Amino acid sequence: MKTIVHIGMPKTGSTALQACFAKSRQELASHGVLYPENVEGCPFKNHRLLVGSFLKFGSMPRHIQSREEYTKENIDEKYREFVDHVHVQIDRSSPEAMVLSSESLFRRIPPHKYRPVRRMFDRFGHETRLVAYLRRPSEYFVSMLQQNFRASHEVKQPVGPQFRAVLRSYLECFGVPVVSAELFHRDSLTDRDIVSDFCARYLREYGVRARKLRVPEHANESVGSESMDILARYRQSFHAERNNVATRDTMELFRELTRADRKLGAGQPRLRPGIADLVDLSRDDPLWVRDRFGVQFPDFDYARLEKSGAKRADQGQWRLEDLVEIDRELQRGIFAELERSEWAASDTPRREWVNSALKGSLADAL
């Protein structure tokens, strides 16, 4: 059996891919492909607990640490339960291939964990293939900004992701033939879709066709720059001491903001002029993935990076409005929508916070 492990990276359609495969288990199984279910009671739709093969609880993603089901004391047991449950499904269905997926796997494996990680995957099947989709650094950065404000008010530094450190650790752990990297760009994907592209590249030999799979609607919502700023302001006002801790009220606010954005026609977040280059040229990783995997980001200034080398931005305190364009009039309209929402009406401090924002100067930066 071949084990195909999709490791992200984050913000490359992973949620859509996982939601589709979770809804399409029966169709996949009819072609001999297993997309394993998690242990009953597990809150995740992906295979995030695989990080237990190389991370201790304190280093695991906040999605795991913030869940009451998982603690420092029980995480090893939960990881073993997950792995055992996967083996039960393999033994029951005898698939030709198995797909595992979690963007949480897109992190560097410590060298002393190479052997246990490799052993875990070898126990699943005789062949392993690891797949990462890579996104242009500046596009990834603006998408991660939005993700960040769902659990924090702190503004991320304008720097690109560490493709090389992550992928090099997988190359050292598994070997060159096992690890693949693909470009995540709508124009480069089969049918401009991550599910179609993954199926065409890695499941075609089993007869899987994306058009036969069930695609859930709104697998991952997003908001514009104005709502990102509102999220950051709310987190600073109500959860300043709970950095990297997701809360129910913040997620409820995020859902209200997605509705307001759709109603008012808010666009996607836009980096200010010059910021995209600042992020894209902050590391030489794009040169490495181009030369190692042949992944080239469209319209990327490789010549400039080769000539001048990577340069990091000032690591001082950045404000959100330094990084993205914010339409304050549109933002006022979004606040007005919030004022009329049940989210604000049901809680006095929230209602007072929204009213204060509408009466004050929205241009006051965080």
Side-chain angles (χ1 to χ4, degrees):
M1 183 194 77
K2 179 190 286 189
T3 303
I4 304 166
V5 188
H6 169 248
I7 65 172
M9 58 183 290
K11 318 313 295 181
T12 58
S14 300
T15 301
L17 183 69
Q18 293 153 5
C20 177
F21 283 3
K23 287 281 188 181
S24 306
R25 283 193 172 95
Q26 187 172 353
E27 173 65 20
L28 291 169
S30 71
H31 294 277
V33 177
L34 171 66
Y35 185 72
E37 295 180 341
N38 283 312
V39 176
E40 185 176 354
C42 176
F44 307 129
K45 293 183 179 179
N46 63 23
H47 306 116
R48 186 168 283 131
L49 289 180
L50 285 169
V51 298
S53 62
F54 62 91
L55 293 180
K56 293 187 178 298
F57 184 74
S59 301
M60 288 184 176
R62 73 183 185 211
H63 305 85
I64 295 177
Q65 294 193 49
S66 64
R67 303 293 307 202
E68 62 183 15
E69 297 95 330
Y70 305 109
T71 65
K72 181 180 179 180
E73 290 71 31
N74 74 8
I75 192 62
D76 289 342
E77 178 184 355
K78 294 293 185 181
Y79 163 69
R80 288 192 296 270
E81 286 180 357
F82 165 75
V83 172
D84 289 345
H85 190 56
V86 172
H87 279 289
V88 167
Q89 294 173 77
I90 294 172
D91 293 342
R92 185 172 60 214
S93 59
S94 299
E96 294 182 57
M98 175 174 67
V99 176
L100 298 168
S101 176
S102 176
E103 61 275 30
S104 296
L105 291 168
F106 196 83
R107 58 191 69 223
R108 189 180 70 85
I109 304 173
H112 70 280
K113 290 292 186 179
Y114 288 172
R115 183 172 294 178
V117 170
R118 183 65 183 264
R119 186 166 56 244
M120 175 193 66
F121 284 113
D122 285 346
R123 286 185 60 210
F124 286 147
H126 70 277
E127 182 182 353
T128 301
R129 185 73 179 270
L130 292 113
V131 182
Y133 280 82
L134 305 181
R135 190 172 186 177
R136 184 177 181 138
S138 55
E139 295 176 358
Y140 168 80
F141 174 71
V142 72
S143 189
M144 279 304 295
L145 271 179
Q146 180 179 144
Q147 181 75 22
N148 175 68
F149 293 135
R150 300 190 201 189
S152 175
H153 70 277
E154 296 182 357
V155 179
K156 293 285 188 182
Q157 297 288 324
V159 63
Q162 299 186 59
F163 301 136
R164 177 164 46 186
V166 173
L167 293 176
R168 179 176 284 168
S169 73
Y170 277 96
L171 288 169
E172 291 174 353
C173 180
F174 290 92
V176 173
V178 174
V179 183
S180 300
E182 310 291 352
L183 171 64
F184 180 83
H185 185 274
R186 293 299 177 190
D187 291 339
S188 71
L189 299 175
T190 303
D191 296 333
R192 298 172 57 85
D193 175 72
I194 183 65
V195 175
S196 296
D197 195 79
F198 189 89
C199 289
R201 292 180 186 274
Y202 298 103
L203 299 180
R204 181 182 295 275
E205 64 182 286
Y206 307 104
V208 176
R209 298 293 182 266
R211 65 178 181 274
K212 296 289 187 68
L213 304 182
R214 300 175 61 188
V215 181
E217 295 183 5
H218 307 301
N220 206 350
E221 298 280 7
S222 62
V223 295
S225 303
E226 297 74 24
S227 288
M228 285 168 54
D229 187 54
I230 293 173
L231 278 170
R233 290 168 183 266
Y234 180 77
R235 291 290 308 192
Q236 185 181 52
S237 296
F238 288 85
H239 301 294
E241 304 303 319
R242 304 186 70 188
N243 193 41
N244 269 339
V245 178
T247 63
R248 177 176 295 181
D249 57 314
T250 305
M251 293 310 300
E252 290 171 349
L253 170 59
F254 181 80
R255 287 190 287 270
E256 290 292 343
L257 290 172
T258 59
R259 284 192 280 268
D261 274 16
R262 285 198 297 269
K263 180 177 180 179
L264 299 178
Q268 292 296 308
R270 302 170 302 280
L271 291 176
R272 287 191 176 279
I275 298 298
D277 282 348
L278 201 63
V279 176
D280 284 336
L281 305 178
S282 62
R283 301 185 191 277
D284 60 6
D285 292 45
L287 296 175
W288 185 82
V289 297
R290 180 199 64 183
D291 297 340
R292 170 68 73 166
F293 294 103
V295 173
Q296 297 194 60
F297 305 113
D299 302 319
F300 190 95
D301 198 345
Y302 289 99
R304 181 177 170 188
L305 185 56
E306 288 175 315
K307 181 178 180 180
S308 303
K311 295 180 180 179
R312 300 284 291 274
D314 176 17
Q315 297 301 294
Q317 185 64 44
W318 288 79
R319 304 171 302 173
L320 181 60
E321 66 175 11
D322 295 331
L323 303 173
V324 297
E325 299 174 358
I326 300 175
D327 183 332
R328 295 299 179 186
E329 286 304 310
L330 174 58
Q331 188 178 61
R332 187 172 293 279
I334 295 171
F335 266 116
E337 291 295 322
L338 283 180
E339 186 181 33
R340 294 187 286 270
S341 72
E342 180 62 25
W343 177 85
S346 63
D347 185 89
T348 299
R350 297 179 200 166
R351 184 170 64 252
E352 292 176 348
W353 177 77
V354 172
N355 290 336
S356 176
L358 284 169
K359 293 176 181 177
S361 173
L362 295 179
D364 291 338
L366 282 172

